[in-house]
PDB file of all heavy atoms in Angstrom:
ATOM      1  N   THR C 135     -13.403  -4.630  11.015  1.00 97.00           N
ATOM      2  CA  THR C 135     -12.370  -5.113  11.932  1.00 97.00           C
ATOM      3  C   THR C 135     -11.296  -5.895  11.210  1.00 97.00           C
ATOM      4  O   THR C 135     -10.143  -6.000  11.724  1.00 97.00           O
ATOM      5  CB  THR C 135     -13.015  -5.997  13.052  1.00 97.00           C
ATOM      6  OG1 THR C 135     -13.578  -7.187  12.448  1.00 97.00           O
ATOM      7  CG2 THR C 135     -14.045  -5.243  13.796  1.00 97.00           C
ATOM      8  N   TYR C 136     -11.624  -6.520  10.066  1.00 96.00           N
ATOM      9  CA  TYR C 136     -10.564  -7.229   9.280  1.00 96.00           C
ATOM     10  C   TYR C 136      -9.574  -6.200   8.793  1.00 96.00           C
ATOM     11  O   TYR C 136      -9.956  -5.138   8.215  1.00 96.00           O
ATOM     12  CB  TYR C 136     -11.205  -8.010   8.129  1.00 96.00           C
ATOM     13  CG  TYR C 136     -10.239  -8.954   7.476  1.00 96.00           C
ATOM     14  CD1 TYR C 136      -9.786 -10.070   8.120  1.00 96.00           C
ATOM     15  CD2 TYR C 136      -9.756  -8.667   6.200  1.00 96.00           C
ATOM     16  CE1 TYR C 136      -8.879 -10.956   7.511  1.00 96.00           C
ATOM     17  CE2 TYR C 136      -8.842  -9.534   5.567  1.00 96.00           C
ATOM     18  CZ  TYR C 136      -8.414 -10.692   6.253  1.00 96.00           C
ATOM     19  OH  TYR C 136      -7.508 -11.521   5.667  1.00 96.00           O
ATOM     20  N   PRO C 137      -8.276  -6.462   8.911  1.00 95.00           N
ATOM     21  CA  PRO C 137      -7.268  -5.360   8.712  1.00 95.00           C
ATOM     22  C   PRO C 137      -7.120  -4.886   7.281  1.00 95.00           C
ATOM     23  O   PRO C 137      -6.778  -3.711   7.104  1.00 95.00           O
ATOM     24  CB  PRO C 137      -5.973  -6.019   9.256  1.00 95.00           C
ATOM     25  CG  PRO C 137      -6.202  -7.474   9.224  1.00 95.00           C
ATOM     26  CD  PRO C 137      -7.644  -7.690   9.506  1.00 95.00           C
ATOM     27  N   LEU C 138      -7.281  -5.772   6.250  1.00 96.00           N
ATOM     28  CA  LEU C 138      -7.052  -5.363   4.895  1.00 96.00           C
ATOM     29  C   LEU C 138      -8.360  -5.418   4.121  1.00 96.00           C
ATOM     30  O   LEU C 138      -8.943  -6.487   4.000  1.00 96.00           O
ATOM     31  CB  LEU C 138      -6.004  -6.220   4.202  1.00 96.00           C
ATOM     32  CG  LEU C 138      -5.747  -5.901   2.724  1.00 96.00           C
ATOM     33  CD1 LEU C 138      -5.219  -4.489   2.542  1.00 96.00           C
ATOM     34  CD2 LEU C 138      -4.809  -6.941   2.105  1.00 96.00           C
ATOM     35  N   ILE C 139      -8.798  -4.273   3.597  1.00 97.00           N
ATOM     36  CA  ILE C 139     -10.078  -4.192   2.897  1.00 97.00           C
ATOM     37  C   ILE C 139      -9.822  -3.683   1.478  1.00 97.00           C
ATOM     38  O   ILE C 139      -9.050  -2.733   1.286  1.00 97.00           O
ATOM     39  CB  ILE C 139     -11.052  -3.259   3.602  1.00 97.00           C
ATOM     40  CG1 ILE C 139     -11.364  -3.803   5.014  1.00 97.00           C
ATOM     41  CG2 ILE C 139     -12.341  -3.115   2.798  1.00 97.00           C
ATOM     42  CD1 ILE C 139     -12.072  -5.147   5.025  1.00 97.00           C
ATOM     43  N   GLY C 140     -10.508  -4.283   0.482  1.00 97.00           N
ATOM     44  CA  GLY C 140     -10.359  -3.823  -0.904  1.00 97.00           C
ATOM     45  C   GLY C 140      -9.485  -4.687  -1.758  1.00 97.00           C
ATOM     46  O   GLY C 140      -9.256  -4.352  -2.934  1.00 97.00           O
ATOM     47  N   ASN C 141      -8.987  -5.828  -1.242  1.00 97.00           N
ATOM     48  CA  ASN C 141      -7.993  -6.603  -1.999  1.00 97.00           C
ATOM     49  C   ASN C 141      -8.563  -7.283  -3.207  1.00 97.00           C
ATOM     50  O   ASN C 141      -7.805  -7.615  -4.110  1.00 97.00           O
ATOM     51  CB  ASN C 141      -7.321  -7.633  -1.093  1.00 97.00           C
ATOM     52  CG  ASN C 141      -8.319  -8.491  -0.341  1.00 97.00           C
ATOM     53  OD1 ASN C 141      -9.217  -8.024   0.279  1.00 97.00           O
ATOM     54  ND2 ASN C 141      -8.110  -9.816  -0.424  1.00 97.00           N
ATOM     55  N   TYR C 142      -9.892  -7.474  -3.293  1.00 97.00           N
ATOM     56  CA  TYR C 142     -10.460  -8.019  -4.520  1.00 97.00           C
ATOM     57  C   TYR C 142     -11.332  -7.006  -5.242  1.00 97.00           C
ATOM     58  O   TYR C 142     -12.068  -7.354  -6.169  1.00 97.00           O
ATOM     59  CB  TYR C 142     -11.242  -9.358  -4.236  1.00 97.00           C
ATOM     60  CG  TYR C 142     -12.333  -9.258  -3.170  1.00 97.00           C
ATOM     61  CD1 TYR C 142     -13.616  -8.839  -3.538  1.00 97.00           C
ATOM     62  CD2 TYR C 142     -12.107  -9.602  -1.860  1.00 97.00           C
ATOM     63  CE1 TYR C 142     -14.633  -8.719  -2.594  1.00 97.00           C
ATOM     64  CE2 TYR C 142     -13.086  -9.537  -0.929  1.00 97.00           C
ATOM     65  CZ  TYR C 142     -14.356  -9.084  -1.301  1.00 97.00           C
ATOM     66  OH  TYR C 142     -15.364  -9.007  -0.316  1.00 97.00           O
ATOM     67  N   GLY C 143     -11.187  -5.761  -4.878  1.00 97.00           N
ATOM     68  CA  GLY C 143     -11.796  -4.699  -5.614  1.00 97.00           C
ATOM     69  C   GLY C 143     -13.317  -4.636  -5.495  1.00 97.00           C
ATOM     70  O   GLY C 143     -13.940  -5.234  -4.633  1.00 97.00           O
ATOM     71  N   ILE C 144     -13.920  -3.939  -6.430  1.00 98.00           N
ATOM     72  CA  ILE C 144     -15.400  -3.786  -6.564  1.00 98.00           C
ATOM     73  C   ILE C 144     -15.797  -4.324  -7.954  1.00 98.00           C
ATOM     74  O   ILE C 144     -15.130  -3.992  -8.941  1.00 98.00           O
ATOM     75  CB  ILE C 144     -15.798  -2.303  -6.436  1.00 98.00           C
ATOM     76  CG1 ILE C 144     -15.378  -1.696  -5.055  1.00 98.00           C
ATOM     77  CG2 ILE C 144     -17.309  -2.141  -6.665  1.00 98.00           C
ATOM     78  CD1 ILE C 144     -16.107  -2.304  -3.880  1.00 98.00           C
ATOM     79  N   ASN C 145     -16.830  -5.088  -7.993  1.00 97.00           N
ATOM     80  CA  ASN C 145     -17.303  -5.612  -9.290  1.00 97.00           C
ATOM     81  C   ASN C 145     -18.753  -5.209  -9.510  1.00 97.00           C
ATOM     82  O   ASN C 145     -19.363  -4.551  -8.659  1.00 97.00           O
ATOM     83  CB  ASN C 145     -17.184  -7.141  -9.338  1.00 97.00           C
ATOM     84  CG  ASN C 145     -18.012  -7.816  -8.293  1.00 97.00           C
ATOM     85  OD1 ASN C 145     -19.268  -7.820  -8.366  1.00 97.00           O
ATOM     86  ND2 ASN C 145     -17.400  -8.432  -7.293  1.00 97.00           N
ATOM     87  N   ASN C 146     -19.288  -5.552 -10.667  1.00 94.00           N
ATOM     88  CA  ASN C 146     -20.622  -5.121 -11.019  1.00 94.00           C
ATOM     89  C   ASN C 146     -21.741  -6.070 -10.604  1.00 94.00           C
ATOM     90  O   ASN C 146     -22.904  -5.785 -10.772  1.00 94.00           O
ATOM     91  CB  ASN C 146     -20.725  -4.920 -12.548  1.00 94.00           C
ATOM     92  CG  ASN C 146     -19.793  -3.814 -13.033  1.00 94.00           C
ATOM     93  OD1 ASN C 146     -19.655  -2.769 -12.388  1.00 94.00           O
ATOM     94  ND2 ASN C 146     -19.126  -4.062 -14.180  1.00 94.00           N
ATOM     95  N   ASP C 147     -21.376  -7.221 -10.035  1.00 94.00           N
ATOM     96  CA  ASP C 147     -22.339  -8.251  -9.707  1.00 94.00           C
ATOM     97  C   ASP C 147     -22.720  -8.294  -8.253  1.00 94.00           C
ATOM     98  O   ASP C 147     -23.830  -8.850  -7.911  1.00 94.00           O
ATOM     99  CB  ASP C 147     -21.793  -9.615 -10.150  1.00 94.00           C
ATOM    100  CG  ASP C 147     -21.472  -9.687 -11.602  1.00 94.00           C
ATOM    101  OD1 ASP C 147     -22.258  -9.110 -12.426  1.00 94.00           O
ATOM    102  OD2 ASP C 147     -20.428 -10.294 -11.950  1.00 94.00           O
ATOM    103  N   ASP C 148     -21.908  -7.875  -7.352  1.00 95.00           N
ATOM    104  CA  ASP C 148     -22.125  -8.128  -5.908  1.00 95.00           C
ATOM    105  C   ASP C 148     -22.785  -6.944  -5.184  1.00 95.00           C
ATOM    106  O   ASP C 148     -22.784  -6.940  -3.955  1.00 95.00           O
ATOM    107  CB  ASP C 148     -20.787  -8.426  -5.259  1.00 95.00           C
ATOM    108  CG  ASP C 148     -20.203  -9.765  -5.702  1.00 95.00           C
ATOM    109  OD1 ASP C 148     -20.974 -10.533  -6.309  1.00 95.00           O
ATOM    110  OD2 ASP C 148     -19.013  -9.987  -5.480  1.00 95.00           O
ATOM    111  N   MET C 149     -23.381  -6.032  -5.926  1.00 96.00           N
ATOM    112  CA  MET C 149     -24.113  -4.923  -5.279  1.00 96.00           C
ATOM    113  C   MET C 149     -25.429  -5.481  -4.667  1.00 96.00           C
ATOM    114  O   MET C 149     -26.188  -6.199  -5.334  1.00 96.00           O
ATOM    115  CB  MET C 149     -24.511  -3.879  -6.304  1.00 96.00           C
ATOM    116  CG  MET C 149     -23.272  -3.251  -6.986  1.00 96.00           C
ATOM    117  SD  MET C 149     -22.425  -2.026  -6.008  1.00 96.00           S
ATOM    118  CE  MET C 149     -23.577  -0.650  -6.128  1.00 96.00           C
ATOM    119  N   GLU C 150     -25.668  -5.157  -3.384  1.00 97.00           N
ATOM    120  CA  GLU C 150     -26.908  -5.554  -2.761  1.00 97.00           C
ATOM    121  C   GLU C 150     -28.029  -4.552  -2.928  1.00 97.00           C
ATOM    122  O   GLU C 150     -29.185  -4.796  -2.551  1.00 97.00           O
ATOM    123  CB  GLU C 150     -26.673  -5.864  -1.288  1.00 97.00           C
ATOM    124  CG  GLU C 150     -25.961  -7.202  -1.019  1.00 97.00           C
ATOM    125  CD  GLU C 150     -26.819  -8.383  -1.443  1.00 97.00           C
ATOM    126  OE1 GLU C 150     -28.054  -8.310  -1.384  1.00 97.00           O
ATOM    127  OE2 GLU C 150     -26.214  -9.397  -1.869  1.00 97.00           O
ATOM    128  N   SER C 151     -27.693  -3.389  -3.510  1.00 97.00           N
ATOM    129  CA  SER C 151     -28.686  -2.402  -3.892  1.00 97.00           C
ATOM    130  C   SER C 151     -28.006  -1.515  -4.961  1.00 97.00           C
ATOM    131  O   SER C 151     -26.913  -1.802  -5.368  1.00 97.00           O
ATOM    132  CB  SER C 151     -29.121  -1.552  -2.660  1.00 97.00           C
ATOM    133  OG  SER C 151     -28.031  -0.770  -2.172  1.00 97.00           O
ATOM    134  N   GLY C 152     -28.663  -0.460  -5.324  1.00 97.00           N
ATOM    135  CA  GLY C 152     -28.164   0.330  -6.425  1.00 97.00           C
ATOM    136  C   GLY C 152     -27.135   1.350  -6.023  1.00 97.00           C
ATOM    137  O   GLY C 152     -26.578   2.061  -6.887  1.00 97.00           O
ATOM    138  N   ARG C 153     -26.790   1.447  -4.746  1.00 97.00           N
ATOM    139  CA  ARG C 153     -25.857   2.494  -4.288  1.00 97.00           C
ATOM    140  C   ARG C 153     -25.300   2.102  -2.908  1.00 97.00           C
ATOM    141  O   ARG C 153     -25.740   1.116  -2.322  1.00 97.00           O
ATOM    142  CB  ARG C 153     -26.562   3.835  -4.173  1.00 97.00           C
ATOM    143  CG  ARG C 153     -27.851   3.822  -3.384  1.00 97.00           C
ATOM    144  CD  ARG C 153     -28.298   5.183  -2.954  1.00 97.00           C
ATOM    145  NE  ARG C 153     -27.493   5.691  -1.842  1.00 97.00           N
ATOM    146  CZ  ARG C 153     -27.840   6.755  -1.101  1.00 97.00           C
ATOM    147  NH1 ARG C 153     -28.931   7.407  -1.382  1.00 97.00           N
ATOM    148  NH2 ARG C 153     -27.082   7.137  -0.111  1.00 97.00           N
ATOM    149  N   SER C 154     -24.387   2.881  -2.412  1.00 98.00           N
ATOM    150  CA  SER C 154     -23.881   2.731  -1.034  1.00 98.00           C
ATOM    151  C   SER C 154     -24.765   3.557  -0.124  1.00 98.00           C
ATOM    152  O   SER C 154     -25.126   4.656  -0.424  1.00 98.00           O
ATOM    153  CB  SER C 154     -22.424   3.154  -0.939  1.00 98.00           C
ATOM    154  OG  SER C 154     -22.006   3.034   0.400  1.00 98.00           O
TER     155      SER C 154
END
Side-chain angles (χ1 to χ4, degrees):
T135 63
Y136 190 70
L138 177 62
I139 299 296
N141 53 309
Y142 55 86
I144 299 292
N145 62 69
N146 296 321
D147 301 321
D148 293 344
M149 301 281 286
E150 283 297 328
S151 66
R153 50 163 286 192
S154 178

